[in-house]
Amino acid sequence: MANESGTEDTNNNKDNADSLLADIQKKITDAFDIFDHESNKTVDVREVGTIIRSLNCCPSEAELHDMLAEIEEEEPTGYIRFEKFLPMMTKVLMERRYKPSPEDQILKAFQVLDTDMKGYLTVEELTKYMTEEGEPFAQDEMEEMISAAVDPEKKTVLYKDYASVMAVEET
């Protein structure tokens, strides 16, 4: 119960905010530490995108490039220091930026590509769209997507099923 001045409610809100901040910073620290192979509070700049995506953030390549520019050293070393990554990533997560697309939005995107409304895309169609349109996938990204998306029996992408796999549950 709040007292007449309402200080207890204010304290609870502050405690909740502090707890949320601590939880977010722990998630960031845990994700960073997995890639800190030298245990020296640095990670290879090429792994930062993987770390960010493991935290359920889905920035575009351009947005990722901007994030890296913000936290790289004046003279790029090829490594990102934790002390620069933590405040940037804390702000991103607190502001809930770069949220993943919900399942219905992913499904609609596949339906736009499926002009014949077959309910699936062929490997050739998916490869063409993902490498020639928009922000193109690299060859290794395409291979990874195909290995996860293609139905092994039908050799097609049953996108209704795949959209639910792609959707990230809110935590």
PDB file of all heavy atoms in Angstrom, residues 60-70 72:
ATOM      1  N   SER A  60      18.309  -4.447 -40.206  1.00  0.00           N
ATOM      2  CA  SER A  60      18.747  -4.685 -41.582  1.00  0.00           C
ATOM      3  C   SER A  60      20.273  -4.608 -41.596  1.00  0.00           C
ATOM      4  O   SER A  60      20.898  -4.169 -40.617  1.00  0.00           O
ATOM      5  CB  SER A  60      18.157  -3.624 -42.513  1.00  0.00           C
ATOM      6  OG  SER A  60      18.747  -2.361 -42.211  1.00  0.00           O
ATOM      7  N   GLU A  61      20.876  -4.995 -42.700  1.00  0.00           N
ATOM      8  CA  GLU A  61      22.334  -4.890 -42.807  1.00  0.00           C
ATOM      9  C   GLU A  61      22.772  -3.434 -42.668  1.00  0.00           C
ATOM     10  O   GLU A  61      23.789  -3.150 -42.051  1.00  0.00           O
ATOM     11  CB  GLU A  61      22.829  -5.486 -44.127  1.00  0.00           C
ATOM     12  CG  GLU A  61      22.811  -7.001 -44.146  1.00  0.00           C
ATOM     13  CD  GLU A  61      23.672  -7.652 -43.069  1.00  0.00           C
ATOM     14  OE1 GLU A  61      24.841  -7.244 -42.894  1.00  0.00           O
ATOM     15  OE2 GLU A  61      23.173  -8.568 -42.394  1.00  0.00           O
ATOM     16  N   ALA A  62      21.999  -2.501 -43.246  1.00  0.00           N
ATOM     17  CA  ALA A  62      22.344  -1.074 -43.145  1.00  0.00           C
ATOM     18  C   ALA A  62      22.263  -0.603 -41.690  1.00  0.00           C
ATOM     19  O   ALA A  62      23.133   0.134 -41.213  1.00  0.00           O
ATOM     20  CB  ALA A  62      21.415  -0.238 -44.025  1.00  0.00           C
ATOM     21  N   GLU A  63      21.214  -1.034 -40.973  1.00  0.00           N
ATOM     22  CA  GLU A  63      21.077  -0.658 -39.562  1.00  0.00           C
ATOM     23  C   GLU A  63      22.203  -1.269 -38.732  1.00  0.00           C
ATOM     24  O   GLU A  63      22.752  -0.613 -37.843  1.00  0.00           O
ATOM     25  CB  GLU A  63      19.713  -1.109 -39.033  1.00  0.00           C
ATOM     26  CG  GLU A  63      18.559  -0.316 -39.619  1.00  0.00           C
ATOM     27  CD  GLU A  63      17.198  -0.954 -39.396  1.00  0.00           C
ATOM     28  OE1 GLU A  63      17.109  -2.199 -39.285  1.00  0.00           O
ATOM     29  OE2 GLU A  63      16.206  -0.203 -39.349  1.00  0.00           O
ATOM     30  N   LEU A  64      22.559  -2.513 -39.045  1.00  0.00           N
ATOM     31  CA  LEU A  64      23.672  -3.163 -38.349  1.00  0.00           C
ATOM     32  C   LEU A  64      24.971  -2.403 -38.598  1.00  0.00           C
ATOM     33  O   LEU A  64      25.748  -2.165 -37.677  1.00  0.00           O
ATOM     34  CB  LEU A  64      23.805  -4.626 -38.801  1.00  0.00           C
ATOM     35  CG  LEU A  64      24.936  -5.425 -38.173  1.00  0.00           C
ATOM     36  CD1 LEU A  64      24.821  -5.469 -36.650  1.00  0.00           C
ATOM     37  CD2 LEU A  64      24.967  -6.833 -38.746  1.00  0.00           C
ATOM     38  N   HIS A  65      25.179  -1.987 -39.837  1.00  0.00           N
ATOM     39  CA  HIS A  65      26.376  -1.207 -40.190  1.00  0.00           C
ATOM     40  C   HIS A  65      26.423   0.089 -39.367  1.00  0.00           C
ATOM     41  O   HIS A  65      27.479   0.462 -38.845  1.00  0.00           O
ATOM     42  CB  HIS A  65      26.360  -0.902 -41.690  1.00  0.00           C
ATOM     43  CG  HIS A  65      27.546  -0.140 -42.159  1.00  0.00           C
ATOM     44  ND1 HIS A  65      28.774  -0.721 -42.371  1.00  0.00           N
ATOM     45  CD2 HIS A  65      27.699   1.181 -42.414  1.00  0.00           C
ATOM     46  CE1 HIS A  65      29.632   0.214 -42.752  1.00  0.00           C
ATOM     47  NE2 HIS A  65      29.000   1.369 -42.781  1.00  0.00           N
ATOM     48  N   ASP A  66      25.275   0.753 -39.220  1.00  0.00           N
ATOM     49  CA  ASP A  66      25.204   1.991 -38.423  1.00  0.00           C
ATOM     50  C   ASP A  66      25.524   1.708 -36.953  1.00  0.00           C
ATOM     51  O   ASP A  66      26.217   2.497 -36.296  1.00  0.00           O
ATOM     52  CB  ASP A  66      23.813   2.634 -38.526  1.00  0.00           C
ATOM     53  CG  ASP A  66      23.535   3.211 -39.901  1.00  0.00           C
ATOM     54  OD1 ASP A  66      24.486   3.355 -40.714  1.00  0.00           O
ATOM     55  OD2 ASP A  66      22.351   3.498 -40.188  1.00  0.00           O
ATOM     56  N   MET A  67      25.018   0.590 -36.440  1.00  0.00           N
ATOM     57  CA  MET A  67      25.279   0.225 -35.047  1.00  0.00           C
ATOM     58  C   MET A  67      26.778  -0.016 -34.847  1.00  0.00           C
ATOM     59  O   MET A  67      27.362   0.424 -33.856  1.00  0.00           O
ATOM     60  CB  MET A  67      24.485  -1.023 -34.660  1.00  0.00           C
ATOM     61  CG  MET A  67      22.976  -0.801 -34.643  1.00  0.00           C
ATOM     62  SD  MET A  67      22.045  -2.340 -34.576  1.00  0.00           S
ATOM     63  CE  MET A  67      22.041  -2.666 -32.830  1.00  0.00           C
ATOM     64  N   LEU A  68      27.393  -0.715 -35.793  1.00  0.00           N
ATOM     65  CA  LEU A  68      28.834  -0.991 -35.696  1.00  0.00           C
ATOM     66  C   LEU A  68      29.632   0.302 -35.750  1.00  0.00           C
ATOM     67  O   LEU A  68      30.596   0.473 -35.003  1.00  0.00           O
ATOM     68  CB  LEU A  68      29.273  -1.946 -36.806  1.00  0.00           C
ATOM     69  CG  LEU A  68      28.821  -3.390 -36.639  1.00  0.00           C
ATOM     70  CD1 LEU A  68      29.134  -4.195 -37.892  1.00  0.00           C
ATOM     71  CD2 LEU A  68      29.460  -4.026 -35.425  1.00  0.00           C
ATOM     72  N   ALA A  69      29.224   1.208 -36.633  1.00  0.00           N
ATOM     73  CA  ALA A  69      29.932   2.486 -36.749  1.00  0.00           C
ATOM     74  C   ALA A  69      29.892   3.245 -35.420  1.00  0.00           C
ATOM     75  O   ALA A  69      30.846   3.925 -35.053  1.00  0.00           O
ATOM     76  CB  ALA A  69      29.324   3.323 -37.871  1.00  0.00           C
ATOM     77  N   GLU A  70      28.801   3.090 -34.694  1.00  0.00           N
ATOM     78  CA  GLU A  70      28.625   3.774 -33.410  1.00  0.00           C
ATOM     79  C   GLU A  70      29.562   3.225 -32.330  1.00  0.00           C
ATOM     80  O   GLU A  70      29.991   3.962 -31.437  1.00  0.00           O
ATOM     81  CB  GLU A  70      27.162   3.595 -32.976  1.00  0.00           C
ATOM     82  CG  GLU A  70      26.767   4.289 -31.702  1.00  0.00           C
ATOM     83  CD  GLU A  70      25.318   4.012 -31.315  1.00  0.00           C
ATOM     84  OE1 GLU A  70      24.470   3.844 -32.203  1.00  0.00           O
ATOM     85  OE2 GLU A  70      25.052   3.963 -30.102  1.00  0.00           O
ATOM     86  N   GLU A  72      32.458   1.058 -32.959  1.00  0.00           N
ATOM     87  CA  GLU A  72      33.824   0.721 -33.347  1.00  0.00           C
ATOM     88  C   GLU A  72      34.807   1.744 -32.802  1.00  0.00           C
ATOM     89  O   GLU A  72      34.452   2.883 -32.515  1.00  0.00           O
ATOM     90  CB  GLU A  72      33.948   0.666 -34.880  1.00  0.00           C
ATOM     91  CG  GLU A  72      33.640  -0.691 -35.436  1.00  0.00           C
ATOM     92  CD  GLU A  72      33.890  -0.775 -36.937  1.00  0.00           C
ATOM     93  OE1 GLU A  72      33.516   0.160 -37.655  1.00  0.00           O
ATOM     94  OE2 GLU A  72      34.458  -1.779 -37.354  1.00  0.00           O
TER      95      GLU A  72
END
